[in-house]
């Protein structure tokens, strides 16, 4: 059990995730028997305060998106708890789950795949309003148009189809759709990774403005640390299904404790050709989540690993106020 679990009791926390696990079964043979499990998320705990943005970073395949989708019950958890406004989302069913989902929305990574090409974007935005029976037909169309205005689009855009928009405009539509039900919490699943660099800053600034206007709380999933630094209040770092570090943004970027975090930091480009950063080149490939290494999951690639790292799994401990890390050699 994570050492952090006992610290997740603040009344200011909008979302509290405790000991979340998500294993995907691997089936084989004629009878499709389960022969192994992909340990996508393994015993992860964290909390998000109302109004803050928690950035979740790590390499592809580390479990970031799985965490976001599991919290929203888009996929079912293997075990654990997720308390939203004090209510365990994983225990909800029927109308109570539907009511909770109104306050928990998602912005998908791919603005091309997340919109139905056969449906005008105005209808896509008001679909959630219809499902939750918000107001009458005129009220729903008025709300949909208002959300389109909030993201920089006009009334006439509501009658157009997704193929008539650029990637940045489609992501704005996805944001409008997530906002339509006036949620309290939004999972931003790499919302700018599929966009041109010139458009990314516009969308990030839009998300920050909307957060202030609507008092939103974000779980911002990304693999680009520069993006996370721009938008996040706190940052959590994941590796192979485990959370390895969690701290306030400035604290994490100034004083990273985990060697994996330091390796990620060393890869951030510096916008000055005269300055050079000492790069940490990690050896080997990321191990398979089907059979993760014993002890610390990062130890086969860690430049400072000792024998203990391969034998015992390090606990997730608070090494400084608000700064958590899972490493036997934290800060060394």
């Amino acid at each position: 059990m994570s050492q952090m679990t006992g610290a997740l009791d603040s009344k200011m926390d909008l979302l509290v995730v405790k000991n979340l696990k998500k294993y995907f079964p691997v089936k084989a043979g004629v009878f499709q028997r389960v022969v192994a499990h992909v340990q996508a998320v393994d015993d992860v705990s964290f909390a998000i305060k109302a109004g803050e943005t928690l950035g979740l970073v790590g390499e592809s395949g580390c479990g970031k998106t799985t965490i976001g989708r599991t919290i929203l019950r888009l996929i079912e958890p293997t075990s654990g708890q997720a308390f939203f406004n004090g209510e365990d989302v994983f225990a909800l069913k029927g109308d109570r789950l539907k009511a909770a989902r109104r306050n928990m929305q998602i912005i998908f990574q791919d603005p091309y795949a997340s919109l139905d090409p056969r449906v005008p974007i105005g209808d896509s935005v008001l679909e959630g309003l219809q499902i939750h029976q918000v107001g009458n037909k005129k009220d729903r169309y008025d709300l949909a148009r208002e959300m389109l205005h909030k993201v920089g689009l006009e009334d006439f855009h509501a009658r157009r189809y997704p193929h008539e928009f650029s990637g940045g405009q489609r992501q704005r539509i996805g944001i409008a759709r997530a906002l339509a039900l006036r949620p309290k919490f939004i999972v931003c699943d790499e919302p700018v990774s599929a966009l041109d660099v010139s458009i990314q800053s516009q969308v990030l600034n839009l998300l920050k403005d909307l957060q202030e206007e609507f008092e939103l709380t974000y779980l911002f999933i990304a693999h680009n640390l520069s993006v996370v630094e721009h938008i996040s209040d706190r940052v959590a770092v994941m590796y192979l299904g485990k959370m390895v570090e969690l701290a306030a943004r400035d604290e994490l970027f100034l004083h990273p404790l985990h060697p994996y975090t330091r390796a990620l930091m060393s890869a951030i480009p510096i916008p000055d050709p005269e300055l050079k950063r000492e790069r940490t080149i990690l050896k080997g490939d990321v191990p398979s989540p089907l059979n993760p290494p014993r002890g610390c999951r990062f130890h086969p690639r860690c430049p400072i690993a000792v024998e203990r790292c391969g034998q015992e799994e390090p606990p997730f401990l608070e090494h400084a106020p608000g700064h958590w890390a899972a490493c036997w050699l934290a800060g060394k």
Side-chain angles (χ1 to χ4, degrees), residues 50-66:
E52 82 164 339
T53 299
L54 176 66
L56 189 60
V57 301
E59 293 172 288
S60 297
C62 70
K64 307 184 300 293
T65 294
T66 302

Side-chain angles (χ1 to χ4, degrees), residues 38 59-60 76 82 89 99 146 151 156 204 218 237 250 259 306:
V38 175
E59 293 172 288
S60 297
E76 293 296 322
V89 178
E146 180 188 352
V151 300
F156 64 86
L204 289 174
Y218 291 150
V237 182
D250 294 342
V306 296

Side-chain angles (χ1 to χ4, degrees), residues 313-331:
E313 182 179 337
F316 198 59
L317 298 176
E318 190 173 21
H319 296 269
H323 195 154
W324 299 75
C327 180
W328 294 118
L329 304 171

Side-chain angles (χ1 to χ4, degrees), residues 109-117 162-163 165-168 170-171 194-195:
Q109 176 180 359
D110 189 348
Y112 296 89
S114 61
L115 294 171
D116 189 332
H163 72 270
F165 295 91
S166 67
R170 291 190 200 195
Q171 196 58 290
L195 306 179

